Amino acid sequence: MTSTESQVYPVIWQKDHVLLIDQNRLPAEYTLVEITNSDDMALAIKTMIVRGAPAIGVAAAYGMYLGAREIKTDNRELFLTQLEKVAEKLRATRPTAVNLFWAIQRMINTARRTLGSVEYLKEVLLETAKSINLEDLQTCRSIGDSGLEVLPKTPEKLTILTHCNAGALATAGYGTALGVVRSAWREGRLARLFADETRPRLQGAKLTAWECVQDQIPITLITDNMAAHCMKQGLIHAVVVGADRIAANGDTANKIGTYSVAICAKAHNIPFFVAAPLSTVDFNLVDGSQIPIEERDSSEVYQIGKTVITPEGVDFYNPAFDVTPAHLITAIITEFGAVSPSELKQFEEKQAV
Ligand code: MRU
């Protein structure tokens, strides 16, 4: 057995502030950014210093505590009103990943349900943010182990393709899709990970590749347009991706390009798995057409790094996510086990907010 316990934790509570790994600087530089107030946390989420659905949920939970700490009143009702303003600010950062909204709501609900002084409420909010952080780490490990149950039984050592970064960096640690990869590696079931580079922001090339190098998981990087060819050549045995929001019918929003990978997998009869915690499922949405899709600045398309790659006079479109329809998904791997998209509903009551 190989040790695969990732030592990468993108959101760390330290005494009285949060440390974030600056994911915009990886892999060139490993830098920790100190976050001491809710404005800076909102900015860090918006500018993707911290990114990935579960990780922004954890970051937002701490952001709620930092915002609560800034409120200067002893009056409970006034406190709750001002806490709602902090929530609005954090909600306005990124629209697609539902974990952000889930974590903020859990913090709001905790504050409303807790009796006692404002000082005591603030203490409870910090403890709740720490719990969200720790639970996500445990959840990812469970997702990893659930994944082992459904990965193809042959060949013994699999080559798995992933898209974007659904790893330790995108969660409290360990990862969802990369959690499955880590568990497979630990159990001797992984030959190698193939990773799409994931234009425009290159999370695959920069972040997934960095994580795998840290943990010595063998990785082959391909550009996004190579996936179909690799599948046709028989190089890929399964696809495992993460998710930003899953509708009640199993339609799944994930990083732009995921949908194309799912279509290619279907065409080549390769199982396509979505690995995500229940906090990523939005049971309020009937299907994926209701998932809000973030559009980001066009500079992400016309530039690579700081280099402009297009002539002037071109228009751009930059949706950050796409929706893979449930019928292309073999199974959704959660902390409670793997189910087909149509069976997801059975978990609704397990989703604590
Ligand atoms: O724009 P990003 O980098 O936040 O998008 C991340 C993804 O799409 C991930 O695949 C998803 O959040 C799952 S993370 C476990």
Side-chain angles (χ1 to χ4, degrees):
M1 292 220 305
T2 319
S3 167
T4 53
E5 189 48 51
S6 168
Q7 297 305 315
V8 174
Y9 304 106
V11 186
I12 304 158
W13 177 256
Q14 192 132 92
K15 218 165 95 183
D16 59 356
H17 62 274
V18 178
L19 290 175
L20 298 176
I21 298 178
D22 187 341
Q23 301 196 32
N24 288 324
R25 289 176 182 260
L26 286 173
E29 279 173 45
Y30 179 91
T31 316
L32 294 173
V33 181
E34 245 184 68
I35 304 287
T36 56
N37 62 69
S38 60
D39 280 352
D40 286 353
M41 186 59 93
L43 192 65
I45 295 171
K46 203 175 177 62
T47 57
M48 295 176 66
I49 286 175
V50 59
R51 36 65 55 201
I56 63 176
V58 173
Y62 284 121
M64 286 292 289
Y65 165 69
L66 294 174
R69 197 169 71 174
E70 291 150 19
I71 299 172
K72 303 270 179 270
T73 179
D74 290 336
N75 180 299
R76 183 191 161 83
E77 284 316 307
L78 211 57
F79 173 79
L80 290 175
T81 311
Q82 291 186 21
L83 191 65
E84 190 51 55
K85 296 254 177 313
V86 178
E88 270 168 36
K89 173 174 64 187
L90 289 162
R91 285 192 196 106
T93 51
R94 298 195 72 190
T96 303
V98 78
N99 309 61
L100 178 86
F101 303 90
W102 170 87
I104 292 169
Q105 200 52 47
R106 185 159 156 195
M107 295 293 280
I108 291 271
N109 291 351
T110 301
R112 285 201 191 120
R113 283 178 200 144
T114 304
L115 301 175
S117 68
V118 166
E119 258 341 278
Y120 177 64
L121 252 64
K122 289 178 184 175
E123 280 169 32
V124 172
L125 284 173
L126 177 57
E127 290 315 307
T128 307
K130 286 181 184 170
S131 300
I132 289 174
N133 197 351
L134 191 65
E135 284 166 25
D136 188 64
L137 185 59
Q138 287 158 349
T139 292
C140 285
R141 292 193 183 116
S142 303
I143 289 172
D145 293 343
S146 301
L148 291 175
E149 308 283 314
V150 286
L151 286 174
K153 299 289 173 246
T154 55
E156 194 196 330
K157 287 191 186 293
L158 302 167
T159 296
I160 294 176
L161 172 69
T162 195
H163 189 76
C164 193
N165 172 266
L169 286 167
T171 59
Y174 201 75
T176 55
L178 286 195
V180 175
V181 167
R182 283 196 166 90
S183 293
W185 179 241
R186 183 191 70 214
E187 297 301 318
R189 297 268 1 252
L190 185 80
R192 158 168 304 275
L193 180 70
F194 268 55
D196 289 337
E197 64 173 351
T198 319
R199 272 281 286 152
R201 288 185 67 97
L202 301 172
Q203 289 94 329
K206 292 181 172 180
L207 306 180
T208 297
W210 181 80
E211 269 191 40
C212 287
V213 169
Q214 299 303 303
D215 288 345
Q216 298 176 335
I217 295 173
I219 178 163
T220 298
L221 187 71
I222 57 173
T223 63
D224 297 330
N225 48 2
M226 294 175 187
H229 177 74
C230 293
M231 290 178 186
K232 190 163 191 188
Q233 288 199 314
L235 298 178
I236 309 295
H237 304 114
V239 179
V240 187
V241 297
D244 287 86
R245 194 183 297 223
I246 304 174
N249 73 339
D251 290 353
T252 295
N254 191 47
K255 181 52 54 192
I256 192 76
T258 303
Y259 180 27
S260 322
V261 178
I263 292 171
C264 292
K266 186 73 158 185
H268 293 91
N269 214 13
I270 293 168
F272 180 93
F273 299 105
V274 170
L278 264 204
S279 54
T280 304
V281 183
D282 188 345
F283 287 107
N284 297 316
L285 304 188
V286 177
D287 62 42
S289 66
Q290 299 172 309
I291 299 175
I293 300 294
E294 177 181 10
E295 271 187 52
R296 294 189 63 86
D297 196 84
S298 55
S299 61
E300 292 182 352
V301 177
Y302 68 69
Q303 281 180 202
I304 296 189
K306 291 205 162 51
T307 309
V308 175
I309 55 166
T310 64
E312 283 188 18
V314 182
D315 293 333
F316 303 98
Y317 178 44
N318 187 18
F321 300 95
D322 58 26
V323 176
T324 299
H327 70 89
L328 296 178
I329 299 169
T330 311
I332 298 176
I333 303 168
T334 77
E335 65 272 38
F336 296 105
V339 288
S340 73
S342 61
E343 292 169 327
L344 200 55
K345 269 273 189 194
Q346 77 191 45
F347 291 147
E348 187 166 0
E349 66 204 29
K350 291 188 193 285
Q351 196 186 55
V353 178

